[in-house]
Amino acid sequence: MNRRTLLSTTVLSLGLLAATQGPVAAQEKSEFRLAWSIYVGWMPWGYLEDSGIMDKWAEKYGIDVEIVQINDYVESINQYTAGAFDGVSATNMDTLSIPAGGGVDTTALIIGDYSNGNDAVIAKGDATLEDLAGTSVNLVELSVSHYLLARALDSVGLAERDLDGVVNTSDADMIAAFATEYVSTVVTWNPLVSEILNTNPDATNIFDSSAIPGEILDLMVVNTETLAANPDFGKAVVGAWYEVMGLMAAGDEEALTAMAEASGTDLKGYKAQLAATEMFYTPADAVAQASSADLPETMVNVAEFLFDKGILGVDAPSADFVGIEYPDGTVTGNTDNVQFRFDASYMQMAADGAL
């Protein structure tokens, strides 16, 4: 299971767990743990650990930061939400639904990238989005693929109720499913998108995430109370991250090859995936994304999608259930229940050369 698979039962179970645990005040400490899982934009986390760059920055601030790869994406968020990790790589959508929706106050410390074509709606023949009305679509339910479909349908005045339904299909089965006569449309992500388009002459990309730039964000999120009590933790992590971003932006083949091999591809394959990923190589670009006037609208759309699917927190009464705070202090959602914060201050320190 990877970054894009989200199960409602997991959300509910973690939400109940967080609710029963109650808030625990964080204290100063010197040892921290981050979890990450395989995805093109998150491969730098493994390189940070393996290259010793994270250790170097942690030593600068007199702390220790361990970065642990978890093969199962949802499990990595589960463990973070349960308190086993101080931070985790996650999308904005899954951060809102799992830890934030479950009552774990969480801060987006780093905005690493957004999907810029990595996710796509693929149909057979010369079909259009309008042609999906009355047909079924195969995808991983309650995932970012499901969200992408909702946004695609909305762009042409349709909704999921206009379909003949969605068919929950594992990402592991997606390529084989598309090859059958029973499947006309799938929604999935890279490298599956490339594989389907390259091996099926009649496959057509009719909508992809480049049409909704900035909506599927890939983040490093951390526990808000832990960060507040340990600002050096945030400084060390952000400093290390942008050292690797500098290497990637410069085309450092040693670093890029290490990331490619760790993700099961080669340098060419990894660069192809990066081409459909809008990486924020400089902290200034990430700060601009965090401060974007479009971000609140995006998060409202995400919250409405999650609420509509019944996965926005435990017994959420409305899409406004969870408050989301932005770098300028404004909040969308419930101001009395702010559990998700976009904090650009550490990325700004990196931009200012103050780390």
Side-chain angles (χ1 to χ4, degrees):
M1 190 176 292
N2 62 31
R3 138 185 190 264
R4 295 158 185 285
T5 306
L6 177 61
L7 300 177
S8 57
T9 52
T10 302
V11 178
L12 291 173
S13 63
L14 266 294
L16 289 170
L17 175 61
T20 54
Q21 286 181 330
V24 177
Q27 298 178 338
E28 290 186 32
K29 60 180 187 176
S30 61
E31 296 182 354
F32 304 86
R33 301 178 78 218
L34 300 176
W36 73 283
S37 54
I38 295 286
Y39 173 66
V40 54
W42 292 332
M43 298 315 296
W45 291 111
Y47 186 74
L48 277 162
E49 177 72 12
D50 297 340
S51 65
I53 292 175
M54 186 67 256
D55 286 343
K56 182 184 73 175
W57 279 86
E59 184 177 348
K60 176 178 179 178
Y61 287 98
I63 61 175
D64 180 71
V65 179
E66 181 184 13
I67 303 175
V68 180
Q69 180 184 339
I70 305 292
N71 290 331
D72 186 314
Y73 169 57
V74 170
E75 179 60 18
S76 71
I77 305 179
N78 287 351
Q79 292 195 27
Y80 160 76
T81 304
F85 289 92
D86 300 294
V88 65
S89 57
T91 67
N92 53 327
M93 177 175 141
D94 296 335
T95 299
L96 179 58
S97 64
I98 305 180
V104 177
D105 197 328
T106 296
T107 293
L109 180 66
I110 295 171
I111 297 181
D113 69 86
Y114 65 76
S115 175
N116 194 29
N118 267 325
D119 300 81
V121 182
I122 303 173
K124 290 179 178 173
D126 56 358
T128 66
L129 285 172
E130 289 85 346
D131 294 330
L132 298 187
T135 71
S136 60
V137 176
N138 292 61
L139 47 68
V140 178
E141 278 190 297
L142 308 178
S143 70
V144 290
S145 290
H146 208 152
Y147 175 75
L148 181 73
L149 176 65
R151 296 288 285 120
L153 293 173
D154 183 63
S155 72
V156 293
L158 296 175
E160 188 175 328
R161 61 178 175 274
D162 296 311
L163 305 177
D164 189 37
V166 296
V167 180
N168 188 31
T169 305
S170 166
D171 51 311
D173 298 329
M174 199 66 70
I175 293 175
F178 189 79
T180 70
E181 61 179 300
Y182 309 106
V183 174
S184 59
T185 307
V186 299
V187 188
T188 189
W189 53 83
N190 263 325
L192 304 179
V193 168
S194 296
E195 180 70 16
I196 292 171
L197 291 174
N198 292 335
T199 57
N200 294 275
D202 63 337
T204 304
N205 177 344
I206 60 173
F207 189 89
D208 66 42
S209 54
S210 66
I212 53 170
E215 293 198 22
I216 302 176
L217 295 169
D218 297 306
L219 315 169
M220 171 51 70
V221 300
V222 300
N223 183 284
T224 299
E225 292 182 351
T226 298
L227 180 63
N230 302 276
D232 283 351
F233 164 54
K235 293 177 183 177
V237 170
V238 171
W241 174 261
Y242 285 108
E243 181 172 332
V244 173
M245 289 299 100
L247 294 176
M248 294 179 71
D252 187 303
E253 289 207 358
E254 179 182 346
L256 290 170
T257 298
M259 294 179 210
E261 292 176 348
S263 61
T265 185
D266 56 17
L267 183 58
K268 181 181 178 182
Y270 187 56
K271 285 184 175 179
Q273 293 181 37
L274 283 173
T277 309
E278 186 66 27
M279 295 293 297
F280 296 120
Y281 290 119
T282 71
D285 286 344
V287 169
Q289 177 64 39
S291 306
S292 166
D294 295 333
L295 183 57
E297 180 179 350
T298 291
M299 294 309 301
V300 167
N301 286 337
V302 171
E304 289 176 347
F305 171 81
L306 294 172
F307 177 70
D308 182 59
K309 300 302 177 189
I311 53 175
L312 179 63
V314 180
D315 298 327
S318 72
D320 293 335
F321 174 61
V322 178
I324 305 168
E325 185 179 69
Y326 304 93
D328 65 358
T330 59
V331 173
T332 58
N334 188 348
T335 56
D336 294 326
N337 186 37
V338 175
Q339 301 289 353
F340 189 1
R341 305 166 197 270
F342 286 90
D343 182 352
S345 63
Y346 290 87
M347 295 186 292
Q348 186 63 58
M349 290 182 208
D352 294 340
L355 295 178

